[in-house]
Amino acid sequence: MSTQHPFQAEVAQLLHLVTHSLYSNKEIFLRELISNASDACDKLRFEAIENGALYEDAPTLEIRVSYDKAGKTITIEDNGIGLSLEEAIENLGTIAKSGTREFMQRLSEARRNDAKAEGALIGQFGVGFYSAFIVADRVTVESRRAGLPPEQGVRWTSEGTGSFETETITRAKRGTAITLHLREDAGEFLSAWRLKAIIGKYSEHISLPILMPKETWDKDKNEYVTSDEWEQVNAASALWSRPKKDVTDEQYIEFYKQLAHDGDAPLLWSHNRVEGATEYTQLLYIPSKAPWDLWNRDKRGGLKLYVKRVFIMDDAEQLLPLYLRFVKGVVDSADLPLNVSRELLQESRDVKAIREGSTRRVLTMLDELASSGDEADRKKYADFYREFGAVLKEGLGEDFANRERIAKLLRFASTTSDDVAVSFADYKARMKPGQKAIYYLTADSLVAAKGSPQLEVFRKKGIEVLLMTDRVDEWALQFLHEFDGTPLQSVAKGAVDLGELEDEAEKKAAAEAAEAMKPVVEKLKTVLAERASDVRSTTRLSDSPACLVVPEGAMSPQMVRILKQAGQPVPDTKPILEINPGHGLVKKLHGLIGTEGPFADLAHVLFDQAVIAEGGLPDDPAAYVRRVQAMLG
Ligand code: ADP
């Protein structure tokens, strides 16, 4: 007796997308289903470490792919862990992954804008099991979970529309057989040659044998006929365990695509056998595009852990720090025990060594690219940086041991370059004689940064300032106080001290101007007592009347805005107002010193304009507008 179940709403949506938009690359269904079959075998092997009886009488794990030309079906069968009735209902009727809703939303946005972007998104997500419906209008899954008696098998059937049916069956074999009843337009896949070609392309290096019925030429019938004999159609050698020299670039790329469920080739990779206190093989890939959920810090890492070629776990987050979560690949340890658990991984010294080694490897790989003499490599690095640069910066706060190496990899725009291409080293090489610090400014956007009044004196003196516009910059930079012996100094924090970059005459003139402005400064302190923690005369401005700076060590207004947007509590620090004694409006203020209302109005307007200039909004916009209108009138 069968029972009908509705699909979870997201699955129904996903199925709709799958059946309507994946026709351009139909063949990936086989990669996805073989990958699931291989995962199911890996799971069995893992569970069997504790319970050998799960192997029943079939200890050789394998995947079989066959087709029936007359019946128009393809069957993918594995003898892995299998599914119980409950698991079939749960796993083949919902999408367990977090972030699915967001994914669906992005997908339909991409769909409206650009069909290609949509394809790439689906590729990243890996539609998994549901990709069966790209080629099939009916799918039957028969399965039995390893360890359950034969009568507790399950049959799952669906036409990929709103619902699926399940029933209990008797199934002698453990594991799962998925039968695809092909759509009219998918007849091309009823060919051994075609299926072998797809397996060769995507699944050559999964570590399990994939078998297909052997075909022989029948002279009388003048066609190929299937025999009862099965033959292995893939190499089934774990790619990473082969010597580098025996692996071609194409093989590395295909392996990546299936490992990462990514349609694009990786940007670069590194394959090494590490020997020493702990022995392991690492094959690390850097994708060419950031995944849609790169910003999800809860997302697990992208490395699969194997022990002596036995799969242990996916997404082993202990193997790389969080800021390298975009790296994909495989680590195969020769030393860890097979029954290692996630908890155990946390304490293992071998894992610590692997983590350090892999981190160094990734950073070295990036550094080689960034500092390569080859133009094409540097362009690749720029591509990498555009996709992942902001995540890399998190490393400044997360990985103190490698802070210097990370800092070396960072790139910024500056007052001399709109491209995000200036490294700290480039900057240092261009520093003026007598310049003591690396100057930088954080802002919400490049336009806001370039228009900032704080840059005026630096422009006038031809001193380069790095312009940082990533949200993480301000946070990350607080962990980096210097680069290669030169301190970093925010131009929006504390007083400017250009030291030897100012000559005696300038210093004297500034001191005199400040002296002359003393009464204005004192009166401003009273009038703006609620808004400014201090008021002072400055030399940093040439064209603007005033600007805001924050005390050394305090949070910038930009950081405060970010935290407020994120709903975080923020300390209420008042900024310092700096005024330009040479500016007409400040001189006007000096002239108004004997008045109350007019002085206060101009003072508030100058303060509000300083807020606007650094990307904020006046606390009381209406009052600001009223004051400016009164002055204009
Ligand atoms: P994913 O594999 O990314 O988790 P899928 O949609 O491909 O997502 O599969 C959903 C779930 O169905 C899997 O996580 C697994 O639990 C189960 N499943 C799919 N194929 C098999 C199989 N061949 N054997 C056992 N379980 C399977």
mmCIF file of all heavy atoms in Angstrom, residues 227-249:
data_model
loop_
_atom_site.group_PDB
_atom_site.id
_atom_site.type_symbol
_atom_site.label_atom_id
_atom_site.label_comp_id
_atom_site.label_asym_id
_atom_site.label_seq_id
_atom_site.Cartn_x
_atom_site.Cartn_y
_atom_site.Cartn_z
ATOM 1 N N SER A 227 25.737 -7.987 -22.443
ATOM 2 C CA SER A 227 25.912 -9.325 -21.878
ATOM 3 C C SER A 227 25.623 -9.258 -20.385
ATOM 4 O O SER A 227 25.306 -8.192 -19.855
ATOM 5 C CB SER A 227 27.340 -9.793 -22.111
ATOM 6 O OG SER A 227 28.206 -8.953 -21.381
ATOM 7 N N ASP A 228 25.723 -10.378 -19.703
ATOM 8 C CA ASP A 228 25.503 -10.397 -18.256
ATOM 9 C C ASP A 228 26.757 -9.969 -17.498
ATOM 10 O O ASP A 228 26.724 -9.778 -16.294
ATOM 11 C CB ASP A 228 25.131 -11.818 -17.793
ATOM 12 C CG ASP A 228 23.795 -12.224 -18.393
ATOM 13 O OD1 ASP A 228 23.044 -11.304 -18.791
ATOM 14 O OD2 ASP A 228 23.532 -13.437 -18.485
ATOM 15 N N GLU A 229 27.826 -9.840 -18.242
ATOM 16 C CA GLU A 229 29.091 -9.488 -17.598
ATOM 17 C C GLU A 229 29.161 -7.975 -17.366
ATOM 18 O O GLU A 229 28.671 -7.202 -18.195
ATOM 19 C CB GLU A 229 30.209 -9.866 -18.565
ATOM 20 C CG GLU A 229 31.317 -10.674 -17.952
ATOM 21 C CD GLU A 229 32.366 -10.914 -19.015
ATOM 22 O OE1 GLU A 229 32.042 -11.588 -20.024
ATOM 23 O OE2 GLU A 229 33.451 -10.386 -18.848
ATOM 24 N N TRP A 230 29.765 -7.575 -16.251
ATOM 25 C CA TRP A 230 29.918 -6.145 -15.983
ATOM 26 C C TRP A 230 31.387 -5.756 -16.140
ATOM 27 O O TRP A 230 32.274 -6.536 -15.814
ATOM 28 C CB TRP A 230 29.468 -5.801 -14.557
ATOM 29 C CG TRP A 230 27.990 -5.965 -14.344
ATOM 30 C CD1 TRP A 230 27.315 -7.131 -14.171
ATOM 31 C CD2 TRP A 230 27.012 -4.921 -14.305
ATOM 32 N NE1 TRP A 230 25.968 -6.905 -14.020
ATOM 33 C CE2 TRP A 230 25.750 -5.544 -14.091
ATOM 34 C CE3 TRP A 230 27.050 -3.527 -14.427
ATOM 35 C CZ2 TRP A 230 24.563 -4.821 -13.991
ATOM 36 C CZ3 TRP A 230 25.868 -2.813 -14.320
ATOM 37 C CH2 TRP A 230 24.632 -3.455 -14.113
ATOM 38 N N GLU A 231 31.620 -4.556 -16.611
ATOM 39 C CA GLU A 231 33.012 -4.098 -16.690
ATOM 40 C C GLU A 231 33.152 -2.736 -16.018
ATOM 41 O O GLU A 231 32.213 -1.939 -15.998
ATOM 42 C CB GLU A 231 33.468 -3.999 -18.146
ATOM 43 C CG GLU A 231 32.659 -2.998 -18.947
ATOM 44 C CD GLU A 231 33.160 -2.807 -20.370
ATOM 45 O OE1 GLU A 231 34.261 -3.275 -20.677
ATOM 46 O OE2 GLU A 231 32.442 -2.180 -21.165
ATOM 47 N N GLN A 232 34.354 -2.530 -15.492
ATOM 48 C CA GLN A 232 34.588 -1.250 -14.816
ATOM 49 C C GLN A 232 34.870 -0.167 -15.855
ATOM 50 O O GLN A 232 35.670 -0.375 -16.763
ATOM 51 C CB GLN A 232 35.781 -1.406 -13.871
ATOM 52 C CG GLN A 232 36.033 -0.163 -13.053
ATOM 53 C CD GLN A 232 37.025 -0.416 -11.938
ATOM 54 O OE1 GLN A 232 37.135 -1.540 -11.452
ATOM 55 N NE2 GLN A 232 37.734 0.629 -11.549
ATOM 56 N N VAL A 233 34.213 0.989 -15.707
ATOM 57 C CA VAL A 233 34.371 2.018 -16.734
ATOM 58 C C VAL A 233 35.092 3.283 -16.251
ATOM 59 O O VAL A 233 35.238 4.232 -17.000
ATOM 60 C CB VAL A 233 33.004 2.409 -17.346
ATOM 61 C CG1 VAL A 233 32.372 1.217 -18.056
ATOM 62 C CG2 VAL A 233 32.052 2.955 -16.284
ATOM 63 N N ASN A 234 35.524 3.288 -15.013
ATOM 64 C CA ASN A 234 36.290 4.464 -14.553
ATOM 65 C C ASN A 234 37.614 4.011 -13.955
ATOM 66 O O ASN A 234 37.815 2.826 -13.682
ATOM 67 C CB ASN A 234 35.491 5.256 -13.507
ATOM 68 C CG ASN A 234 35.344 4.493 -12.208
ATOM 69 O OD1 ASN A 234 35.329 3.270 -12.194
ATOM 70 N ND2 ASN A 234 35.231 5.227 -11.112
ATOM 71 N N ALA A 235 38.516 4.958 -13.745
ATOM 72 C CA ALA A 235 39.832 4.600 -13.210
ATOM 73 C C ALA A 235 39.733 4.249 -11.723
ATOM 74 O O ALA A 235 40.478 3.414 -11.226
ATOM 75 C CB ALA A 235 40.805 5.751 -13.401
ATOM 76 N N ALA A 236 38.810 4.884 -11.017
ATOM 77 C CA ALA A 236 38.580 4.622 -9.596
ATOM 78 C C ALA A 236 39.829 4.750 -8.745
ATOM 79 O O ALA A 236 39.953 4.141 -7.698
ATOM 80 C CB ALA A 236 37.959 3.250 -9.374
ATOM 81 N N SER A 237 40.770 5.546 -9.215
ATOM 82 C CA SER A 237 41.928 5.759 -8.349
ATOM 83 C C SER A 237 41.717 7.145 -7.775
ATOM 84 O O SER A 237 41.454 8.082 -8.504
ATOM 85 C CB SER A 237 43.193 5.759 -9.176
ATOM 86 O OG SER A 237 43.247 6.942 -9.931
ATOM 87 N N ALA A 238 41.770 7.254 -6.492
ATOM 88 C CA ALA A 238 41.611 8.560 -5.882
ATOM 89 C C ALA A 238 42.677 9.461 -6.501
ATOM 90 O O ALA A 238 43.869 9.203 -6.362
ATOM 91 C CB ALA A 238 41.800 8.438 -4.393
ATOM 92 N N LEU A 239 42.242 10.468 -7.197
ATOM 93 C CA LEU A 239 43.165 11.291 -7.984
ATOM 94 C C LEU A 239 44.327 11.820 -7.154
ATOM 95 O O LEU A 239 45.473 11.832 -7.583
ATOM 96 C CB LEU A 239 42.390 12.460 -8.585
ATOM 97 C CG LEU A 239 43.216 13.388 -9.470
ATOM 98 C CD1 LEU A 239 43.231 12.871 -10.890
ATOM 99 C CD2 LEU A 239 42.670 14.803 -9.429
ATOM 100 N N TRP A 240 44.024 12.245 -5.933
ATOM 101 C CA TRP A 240 45.041 12.882 -5.106
ATOM 102 C C TRP A 240 46.149 11.923 -4.681
ATOM 103 O O TRP A 240 47.218 12.346 -4.290
ATOM 104 C CB TRP A 240 44.385 13.513 -3.876
ATOM 105 C CG TRP A 240 43.727 12.505 -2.968
ATOM 106 C CD1 TRP A 240 44.331 11.836 -1.946
ATOM 107 C CD2 TRP A 240 42.380 12.045 -3.015
ATOM 108 N NE1 TRP A 240 43.431 10.986 -1.353
ATOM 109 C CE2 TRP A 240 42.225 11.098 -1.988
ATOM 110 C CE3 TRP A 240 41.282 12.346 -3.825
ATOM 111 C CZ2 TRP A 240 41.021 10.444 -1.749
ATOM 112 C CZ3 TRP A 240 40.087 11.696 -3.585
ATOM 113 C CH2 TRP A 240 39.958 10.762 -2.563
ATOM 114 N N SER A 241 45.862 10.615 -4.764
ATOM 115 C CA SER A 241 46.887 9.682 -4.316
ATOM 116 C C SER A 241 47.857 9.330 -5.438
ATOM 117 O O SER A 241 48.796 8.575 -5.241
ATOM 118 C CB SER A 241 46.239 8.426 -3.743
ATOM 119 O OG SER A 241 45.532 7.782 -4.771
ATOM 120 N N ARG A 242 47.632 9.878 -6.604
ATOM 121 C CA ARG A 242 48.569 9.603 -7.703
ATOM 122 C C ARG A 242 49.658 10.661 -7.744
ATOM 123 O O ARG A 242 49.448 11.799 -7.335
ATOM 124 C CB ARG A 242 47.797 9.581 -9.020
ATOM 125 C CG ARG A 242 46.624 8.650 -8.918
ATOM 126 C CD ARG A 242 46.059 8.137 -10.194
ATOM 127 N NE ARG A 242 46.507 8.776 -11.403
ATOM 128 C CZ ARG A 242 45.667 9.102 -12.387
ATOM 129 N NH1 ARG A 242 44.377 8.890 -12.259
ATOM 130 N NH2 ARG A 242 46.131 9.648 -13.478
ATOM 131 N N PRO A 243 50.840 10.292 -8.253
ATOM 132 C CA PRO A 243 51.906 11.297 -8.335
ATOM 133 C C PRO A 243 51.479 12.438 -9.251
ATOM 134 O O PRO A 243 50.806 12.199 -10.254
ATOM 135 C CB PRO A 243 53.090 10.540 -8.932
ATOM 136 C CG PRO A 243 52.712 9.109 -8.981
ATOM 137 C CD PRO A 243 51.238 8.983 -8.763
ATOM 138 N N LYS A 244 51.866 13.626 -8.873
ATOM 139 C CA LYS A 244 51.523 14.823 -9.633
ATOM 140 C C LYS A 244 51.806 14.690 -11.120
ATOM 141 O O LYS A 244 51.028 15.120 -11.955
ATOM 142 C CB LYS A 244 52.421 15.945 -9.124
ATOM 143 C CG LYS A 244 51.700 17.014 -8.359
ATOM 144 C CD LYS A 244 52.634 18.013 -8.056
ATOM 145 C CE LYS A 244 53.071 19.037 -7.417
ATOM 146 N NZ LYS A 244 53.472 19.818 -6.559
ATOM 147 N N LYS A 245 52.956 14.102 -11.418
ATOM 148 C CA LYS A 245 53.372 14.061 -12.826
ATOM 149 C C LYS A 245 52.448 13.184 -13.683
ATOM 150 O O LYS A 245 52.443 13.291 -14.899
ATOM 151 C CB LYS A 245 54.822 13.591 -12.949
ATOM 152 C CG LYS A 245 55.062 12.173 -12.453
ATOM 153 C CD LYS A 245 56.494 11.762 -12.770
ATOM 154 C CE LYS A 245 56.879 10.382 -12.295
ATOM 155 N NZ LYS A 245 55.875 9.337 -12.239
ATOM 156 N N ASP A 246 51.660 12.343 -13.019
ATOM 157 C CA ASP A 246 50.758 11.477 -13.776
ATOM 158 C C ASP A 246 49.361 12.064 -13.936
ATOM 159 O O ASP A 246 48.451 11.411 -14.440
ATOM 160 C CB ASP A 246 50.614 10.109 -13.079
ATOM 161 C CG ASP A 246 51.931 9.375 -13.059
ATOM 162 O OD1 ASP A 246 52.848 9.806 -13.786
ATOM 163 O OD2 ASP A 246 52.052 8.385 -12.305
ATOM 164 N N VAL A 247 49.165 13.261 -13.450
ATOM 165 C CA VAL A 247 47.830 13.852 -13.525
ATOM 166 C C VAL A 247 47.869 15.059 -14.458
ATOM 167 O O VAL A 247 48.726 15.931 -14.311
ATOM 168 C CB VAL A 247 47.348 14.292 -12.124
ATOM 169 C CG1 VAL A 247 45.907 14.773 -12.183
ATOM 170 C CG2 VAL A 247 47.491 13.154 -11.122
ATOM 171 N N THR A 248 46.953 15.098 -15.408
ATOM 172 C CA THR A 248 46.938 16.239 -16.331
ATOM 173 C C THR A 248 46.085 17.367 -15.757
ATOM 174 O O THR A 248 45.270 17.146 -14.857
ATOM 175 C CB THR A 248 46.312 15.849 -17.688
ATOM 176 O OG1 THR A 248 44.930 15.534 -17.459
ATOM 177 C CG2 THR A 248 47.017 14.663 -18.299
ATOM 178 N N ASP A 249 46.285 18.562 -16.304
ATOM 179 C CA ASP A 249 45.484 19.711 -15.865
ATOM 180 C C ASP A 249 43.996 19.416 -16.030
ATOM 181 O O ASP A 249 43.191 19.737 -15.160
ATOM 182 C CB ASP A 249 45.834 20.955 -16.674
ATOM 183 C CG ASP A 249 47.148 21.559 -16.203
ATOM 184 O OD1 ASP A 249 47.751 20.997 -15.262
ATOM 185 O OD2 ASP A 249 47.575 22.573 -16.782
#
